[in-house]
Amino acid sequence: MIRKMLSFPLAEGVLDELSKPQVLAIGQFDGLHPGHASVIQTAVNLSREQGIQAAVLTFHPHPKEVIRKGDYQGYLTPLKEKEAILEEMDIDVMYVLEFNESLSNLSPEQFVNQFLIKLDVQTAVVGFDFRFGHKGAGDENTLRELGAPSMNVVTVPPLKLNGDKISSSFIRKALHEGDIDEVTRMLGRPYSFTGIVMDGEKRGHTIGFPTANVEPSGNYVVPLKGVYAVWVTHDNRRLPGVMNIGVKPTFHDNRTKPSFEVHLLDYSGDLYGEELKVELIHFLRTEQKFSSIDALIAQIKQDSETASQLLSGESQN
Ligand SMILES: Cc1cc2nc3c(=O)[nH]c(=O)nc-3n(C[C@H](O)[C@H](O)[C@H](O)COP(=O)(O)O)c2cc1C
Ligand SMILES: Nc1ncnc2c1ncn2[C@@H]1O[C@H](COP(=O)(O)OP(=O)(O)O)[C@@H](O)[C@H]1O
């Protein structure tokens, strides 16, 4: 898969080399859940039938991050993660269009004429609730009218799971509530984040539970503060662990930035500077302020046993 970063206003001639008959799936696709996958798969299938390339257009940063309407909550799949998932989906080209002021001011007509038609998009594939152009003025019908006669538009209906529409906002809400079973069900895979192990406060070793302090490599949605059973991938190995997401109220009164502390069960070694992928499998409890360190240690021991039991029954892959 080739990745192209593009920004409006586009430099002279930049679309000439990209212009070729293609089927293009367009969307934010944050989370790349099965609903998004069905839009993208529809584009891939059509492109194979027509013998032309399959492309995906996504926007970065998330419009809500730029406009800051107050309800921006981070990404389920920051750009790097999105790219890694698309890489597995038989896509030929991924366009990442910078969501900047210039793009946000484009009218639906300008977006279609100055971008999609110039790329030689034969078929655009969008989800049922697709909106585009300044203030979201355009929808699937606008796209169809403006694209005719050279560009077809295919709209993909919402994918449902036991009657519930799969949606990124539903998944974000479930993460905020610590409802990991629902998150996994809706995403079709465990929610995960990737990050680098940084120095912490060096207390973990002294209490018998060293915890790798993972600094997420992106603006991820932060799940409910509390303790989770997790699978951790390090160096292509998948290891069971227990993680606390929180502000450590036992030791700090006024922290606001949560830390992600992972204790790997049955592991010893040096992880500083290493990249870890952490998959959230079960929510165990909310974070608490303990009245003594011994009480905290006893609880962490209990959490580790619970995580070990829950994960031992599950496949490592
Ligand atoms: C499984 C687990 C559960 C934890 N639960 C809590 C908690 O409920 N309250 C709290 O203040 N800290 C909790 N912690 C965080 C510990 O306080 C933290 O790991 C310890 O202070 C070591 O921090 P350090 O690695 O930065 O030195 C938990 C840690 C783990 C691994
Ligand atoms: N089982 C383990 N789980 C997590 N980290 C471990 C483990 N064994 C050793 N380590 C190492 O110990 C470090 C955590 O120790 P800790 O005393 O909590 O220090 P810090 O406060 O810097 O996180 C990890 O970053 C890692 O390098």
Side-chain angles (χ1 to χ4, degrees):
M1 183 178 80
I2 296 166
R3 188 179 87 162
K4 286 278 171 194
M5 305 286 284
L6 299 166
S7 278
F8 269 86
L10 295 167
E12 195 56 35
V14 80
L15 294 184
D16 295 348
E17 60 173 287
L18 302 173
S19 174
K20 59 171 80 162
Q22 53 195 299
V23 180
L24 181 69
I26 311 173
Q28 194 60 45
F29 303 133
D30 182 33
L32 274 167
H33 58 57
H36 297 145
S38 76
V39 173
I40 293 164
Q41 197 53 51
T42 301
V44 171
N45 295 346
L46 284 168
S47 77
R48 300 302 167 238
E49 278 167 25
Q50 295 172 25
I52 59 180
Q53 76 175 17
V56 170
L57 169 64
T58 191
F59 305 90
H60 187 81
H62 195 290
K64 281 187 180 166
E65 187 180 4
V66 176
I67 296 167
R68 291 271 176 193
K69 277 195 281 185
D71 55 355
Y72 169 70
Q73 301 161 332
Y75 297 88
L76 296 167
T77 48
L79 191 56
K80 232 178 96 185
E81 208 110 332
K82 217 191 253 186
E83 188 179 352
I85 300 172
L86 286 176
E87 193 75 65
E88 306 288 306
M89 294 182 79
D90 209 15
I91 306 293
D92 301 306
V93 189
M94 171 189 187
Y95 304 107
V96 181
L97 195 47
E98 186 190 3
F99 188 85
N100 57 16
E101 210 186 319
S102 178
L103 181 76
S104 75
N105 286 326
L106 285 188
S107 66
E109 288 84 349
Q110 287 170 319
F111 182 70
V112 173
N113 294 330
Q114 294 180 17
F115 191 66
L116 301 182
I117 301 290
K118 287 211 172 133
L119 271 181
D120 198 6
V121 175
Q122 302 286 301
T123 305
V125 184
V126 295
F128 66 102
D129 58 354
F130 177 67
R131 312 285 313 187
F132 72 110
H134 187 56
K135 293 191 171 156
D139 61 9
E140 51 156 317
N141 294 318
T142 327
L143 190 62
R144 197 165 280 118
E145 284 156 21
L146 294 170
S150 65
M151 186 182 84
N152 293 319
V153 175
V154 171
T155 311
V156 178
L159 194 68
K160 294 194 175 171
L161 204 63
N162 301 334
D164 301 324
K165 191 180 81 185
I166 301 178
S167 81
S168 304
S169 49
F170 193 92
I171 297 167
R172 283 188 206 102
K173 180 167 169 281
L175 274 172
H176 287 138
E177 291 168 355
D179 190 349
I180 297 306
D181 289 346
E182 191 63 18
V183 169
T184 307
R185 195 174 78 90
M186 285 273 168
L187 262 185
R189 61 175 191 276
Y191 178 67
S192 67
F193 67 91
T194 301
I196 304 291
V197 179
M198 310 295 273
D199 282 321
E201 297 171 292
K202 311 286 174 199
R203 192 183 298 114
H205 271 109
T206 69
I207 62 173
F209 288 95
T211 51
N213 184 12
V214 185
E215 179 73 32
S217 320
N219 282 329
Y220 287 90
V221 175
V222 178
L224 181 66
K225 279 186 278 189
V227 181
Y228 296 82
V230 296
W231 283 111
V232 177
T233 305
H234 171 243
D235 245 357
N236 293 321
R237 283 200 302 158
R238 212 152 166 257
L239 309 163
V242 63
M243 171 175 66
N244 185 53
I245 301 180
V247 291
K248 300 183 263 185
T250 307
F251 303 100
H252 304 279
D253 286 333
N254 304 313
R255 270 212 177 181
T256 48
K257 186 174 179 256
S259 51
F260 298 74
E261 307 240 14
V262 184
H263 172 69
L264 296 171
L265 311 173
D266 317 315
Y267 174 89
S268 65
D270 184 351
L271 294 169
Y272 290 116
E274 296 290 305
E275 186 177 78
L276 304 183
K277 174 179 173 184
V278 181
E279 293 170 74
L280 276 59
I281 309 298
H282 295 288
F283 177 71
L284 305 186
R285 64 174 175 88
T286 53
E287 190 180 41
Q288 284 164 246
K289 180 179 172 78
F290 290 92
S291 54
S292 71
I293 294 187
D294 284 347
L296 171 67
I297 295 172
Q299 182 59 51
I300 295 179
K301 190 163 182 287
Q302 173 71 57
D303 295 333
S304 300
E305 279 163 18
T306 309
S308 174
Q309 276 168 15
L310 287 168
L311 296 172
S312 68
E314 294 179 15
S315 122
Q316 297 205 6
N317 300 301

